[in-house]
């Protein structure tokens, strides 16, 4: 297989066999692999690499304030661009600070390469200063990892790391390089071909499985396209739309797949799961066929697995065979790249249509359209005239528009951002779906803005999340990365508080952050070299957002001081059945359909 890289063959060959240090070889290897931006912090073990990195004209290194910020920035860069994100850290605590973003990238299938320095090869295993077995630590949370002690292995290892990170199911790859290897003399040889005999991702689906899936689609009466983040990772949004419009099947998109199918499309029912729409949850529960595309039936979607979609057969397509049937039995398993799977399904279904065989979903589509109309997403304005968080996000979406990129933290604001921003395009919604990492938004937005400087990038963050990684605003200000941050400040750990309201008799143990008093976010933004704004009245929301949108040469932080008791609805309580969804407190929808699909009059 061809080694990754964007440089020309002439460029590579001109450097082949050059006498270099291991550190110089590492930098040349990153250049050959196509890395243009590296987020990182130097330290003792990785220091030899930072010297030649200073001379690189192909790589822009961005000095972050914390290694976690470097990792999330690489994630945001990758998620917004589709390219491999790169971060760099030293040994010991530098490397262990990357553990959270590595685990995050692993669960969300984000292509990323993390380069870490390690103590000298002869010192490994001696409890040397700042030694940590980062390869062992990250074994379960990376797609693959390497320890390099021979400088001759550096180019091949970097080439393999980029290839593994970006092919098959994307994911993070760690390259841990001993300081002795960085300091030693070697020759630079970029591999023309990679030899990875145990690594052969299956991307082309089997024809028999495609035909069987097409047969089930035509036989079903209540099919649903259950679209996951793998569809975006596979660049399959155009093919998805063709499939949906060809068949007329309703579409639900998971939290990770927002933007894979336009929110405005009439076939789109929204997001399923714990905080999904009534129509999307109802569609999966009452379906007789679920066509899962790059989704993994995680617990936040299925609720109580035993009662999830009890009458549905499942066509499960995923490039990772380990996901198929892991949580829900697959009647038709399809291993393959989502884009190829969907393309082949389109061909098969068009052939059936040409032969006069099409699905009959008219009653099903009408029923779901009724659910969508009866139970739309909504919220009540606070009776005291204070600011509703949902209104802030709704207006932000209307003013910034669907071409902007939105990165969120984790919690209530994440769910409101999922509900009230209009997503029309893939790679415009970045978040931590699997691991649920608070503190993701600001550094991820920074990475996205670096990768897509032409785009307006908003971080929608909670006041709790923001206080975990806001130091990267300094990185943004110094490096001319003008992101915009909307803090949805309800002065508490909002989602935990919501659970305390609903399940712990309103006993708010340790969730009050007092964030409207300490810190002063406007002064904090100013101290970081950003523009700080605040807003606490609905009447001022539009003008504040427009003022932030008008600033293009500095990061902007807006402290939206919202009502603290707003809650996220709809909701399926953890561990319960999706049949028990509530669209507001103590209010359950009526799924007016029998299990054997008899629509009531």
């Amino acid at each position: 297989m061809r080694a990754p890289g964007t440089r020309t063959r002439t460029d590579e060959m001109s450097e082949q066999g050059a006498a270099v240090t291991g550190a110089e070889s590492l930098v040349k290897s990153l250049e050959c692999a196509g890395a243009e931006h590296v987020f990182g912090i130097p330290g003792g073990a990785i220091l030899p690499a930072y010297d030649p990195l200073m001379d690189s004209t192909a790589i822009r290194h961005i000095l972050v304030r914390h290694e976690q910020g470097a990792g999330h920035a690489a994630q945001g860069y990758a998620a917004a661009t589709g390219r491999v994100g790169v971060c760099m850290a030293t040994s010991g605590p530098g490397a262990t600070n990357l553990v959270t973003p590595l685990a995050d990238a692993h669960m969300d299938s984000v292509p990323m390469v993390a380069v870490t320095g390690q103590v000298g090869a002869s010192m490994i295993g001696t409890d040397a200063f700042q030694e940590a077995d980062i390869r062992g630590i990250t074994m379960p949370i990376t797609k693959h990892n390497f320890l390099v002690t021979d400088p001759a292995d550096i180019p091949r290892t970097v080439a393999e790391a980029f290839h593994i990170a970006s092919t098959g199911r994307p994911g993070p790859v760690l390259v841990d390089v001993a300081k002795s290897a960085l300091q030693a003399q070697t020759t630079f040889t970029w591999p023309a071909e990679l030899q990875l005999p145990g690594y052969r991702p299956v991307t082309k689906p089997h024809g028999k499985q495609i035909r069987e899936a097409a047969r089930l689609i035509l036989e079903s009466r209540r099919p649903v396209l259950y679209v996951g983040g793998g569809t975006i990772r596979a660049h399959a949004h155009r093919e998805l739309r063709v499939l949906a419009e060809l068949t007329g099947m309703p579409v639900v998109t998971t939290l990770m797949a927002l933007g894979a199918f336009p929110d405005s499309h009439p076939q789109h029912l929204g997001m399923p799961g714990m905080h999904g729409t009534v129509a999307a949850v109802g569609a999966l529960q009452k379906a007789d066929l679920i066509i899962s595309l790059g989704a993994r039936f995680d617990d936040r979607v299925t609720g109580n697995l035993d009662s999830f979609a009890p009458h549905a057969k499942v066509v499960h397509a995923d490039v990772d065979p380990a996901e198929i049937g892991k949580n829900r039995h697959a009647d038709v398993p399809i291993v393959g790249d989502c884009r190829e799977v969907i393309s082949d399904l389109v061909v098969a279904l068009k052939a059936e249509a040409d032969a006069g065989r099409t699905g009959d979903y008219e009653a099903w589509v009408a029923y779901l359209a009724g659910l969508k109309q009866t139970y739309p997403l909504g919220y009540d304005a606070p009776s005291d005239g204070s600011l509703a968080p949902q209104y802030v996000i709704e207006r932000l979406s209307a003013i910034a528009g669907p071409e902007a990129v939105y990165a969120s933290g984790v919690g209530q604001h994440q769910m409101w951002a999922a509900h009230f921003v209009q997503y029309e395009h893939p790679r415009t919604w970045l978040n931590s779906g699997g691991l649920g990492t608070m503190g993701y938004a600001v550094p991820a937005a920074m990475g996205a803005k670096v990768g897509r400087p032409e785009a307006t990038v908003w971080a929608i963050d909670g006041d709790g999340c923001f206080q975990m990684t806001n130091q990267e605003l300094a990185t943004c200000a110094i490096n001319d990365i003008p992101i915009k941050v909307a803090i949805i400040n309800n002065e508490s750990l909002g989602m935990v508080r919501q659970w305390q309201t609903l399940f712990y008799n309103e006993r708010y143990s340790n969730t009050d952050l007092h964030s409207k008093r300490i810190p002063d976010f406007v002064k904090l933004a100013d101290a970081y070299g950003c523009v700080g704004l605040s807003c606490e009245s609905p009447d001022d929301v539009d003008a504040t957002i427009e003022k932030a949108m008008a600033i293009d040469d500095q990061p902007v932080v807006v402290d939206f001081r919202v009502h603290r008791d707003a809650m996220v609805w709809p909701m399926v309580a953890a561990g319960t059945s999706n049949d028990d969804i509530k669209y507001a407190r103590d209010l359950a929808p009526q799924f007016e359909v029998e299990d054997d699909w008899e629509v009531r009059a």
Side-chain angles (χ1 to χ4, degrees), residues 112-137:
M112 177 170 139
V113 170
V115 179
T116 51
Q118 182 55 275
V119 300
S122 64
M123 302 176 73
I124 293 175
T126 68
D127 289 340
F129 177 67
Q130 291 195 332
E131 180 190 0
D133 178 11
I134 193 61
R135 188 183 184 210
I137 291 169

Side-chain angles (χ1 to χ4, degrees), residues 484-547:
K484 306 179 194 302
V485 182
I487 305 173
I488 307 301
N489 182 1
N490 60 5
E491 61 183 339
S492 67
L493 299 170
M495 189 61 88
V496 185
R497 180 183 169 87
Q498 176 165 333
W499 284 34
Q500 289 172 329
T501 300
L502 296 173
F503 311 124
Y504 291 88
N505 298 318
E506 301 183 4
R507 286 166 52 82
Y508 300 116
S509 174
N510 290 283
T511 46
D512 192 345
L513 294 171
H514 303 278
S515 306
K516 292 180 182 173
R517 185 168 60 89
I518 300 175
D520 183 324
F521 288 131
V522 175
K523 289 182 179 176
L524 182 71
D526 183 59
Y528 275 133
C530 308
V531 175
L533 305 172
S534 67
C535 177
E536 55 189 335
S537 167
D539 295 337
D540 297 333
V541 168
D542 281 17
T544 306
I545 294 171
E546 286 164 358
K547 187 174 182 180

Side-chain angles (χ1 to χ4, degrees), residues 197-430:
Y199 180 70
R200 296 191 186 87
V202 174
T203 59
K204 183 65 178 173
H206 196 287
K208 179 182 177 184
Q209 300 303 86
I210 292 291
R211 291 192 294 275
E212 184 63 12
R215 183 184 67 79
L216 286 185
I217 289 171
L218 295 179
E219 289 180 356
S220 68
R221 299 288 305 281
R222 308 188 303 277
V224 178
L225 289 169
Y226 164 42
V227 177
T231 310
I232 292 178
R233 300 286 185 258
H235 310 276
H237 62 285
R238 294 185 183 86
E239 290 77 6
L240 171 65
R241 183 162 183 163
V242 171
L243 174 64
E245 293 182 343
L246 171 69
T247 60
M249 288 188 288
V251 179
V252 302
T253 50
T254 68
L255 179 69
M256 294 304 299
L258 298 179
F261 194 73
D263 279 358
S264 60
H265 198 288
Q267 287 172 243
H268 193 207
L269 301 177
M271 181 176 75
M274 176 177 277
H275 292 296
T277 66
V278 171
V281 171
L284 289 178
Q285 284 300 97
K286 300 303 177 185
D288 66 357
L289 178 66
I290 293 174
I291 302 101
S292 173
L293 303 168
R296 56 191 177 88
F297 293 92
D298 76 278
D299 63 286
R300 283 297 191 265
V301 166
T302 65
N304 182 349
L305 194 57
D306 292 338
S307 61
F308 173 70
H311 305 292
K313 291 184 177 180
V314 171
V315 173
H316 193 167
D318 202 296
V319 73
D320 182 357
E323 285 297 339
I324 296 177
K326 185 175 74 176
N327 296 326
R328 172 68 184 247
H329 170 73
D331 298 276
V332 179
I334 305 177
V335 179
D337 175 83
C338 255
R339 187 160 63 172
E340 297 205 34
V341 169
I342 297 171
S343 297
D344 285 4
L345 273 175
V346 168
V347 171
L349 290 167
K350 278 184 176 176
E352 294 286 350
D354 291 343
R357 293 184 289 272
T358 58
D360 177 12
Y361 317 131
E362 186 176 350
W364 174 236
V365 169
Y367 165 71
L368 294 175
L371 276 186
K372 188 175 173 181
Q373 184 175 22
T374 305
Y375 303 106
L377 291 169
Y379 60 92
D380 294 325
S383 58
D384 61 0
S386 60
L387 197 50
Q390 300 95 328
Y391 178 72
V392 172
I393 294 171
E394 202 170 46
R395 295 307 304 157
L396 181 59
S397 172
I399 295 170
E403 306 301 325
V405 175
Y406 302 87
S408 86
V410 169
Q412 287 183 310
H413 64 282
Q414 176 191 28
M415 293 299 111
W416 290 321
H419 286 166
F420 294 103
V421 173
Q422 183 90 3
Y423 298 102
E424 298 293 310
H425 310 292
R427 303 192 184 285
T428 55
W429 163 246
L430 320 177

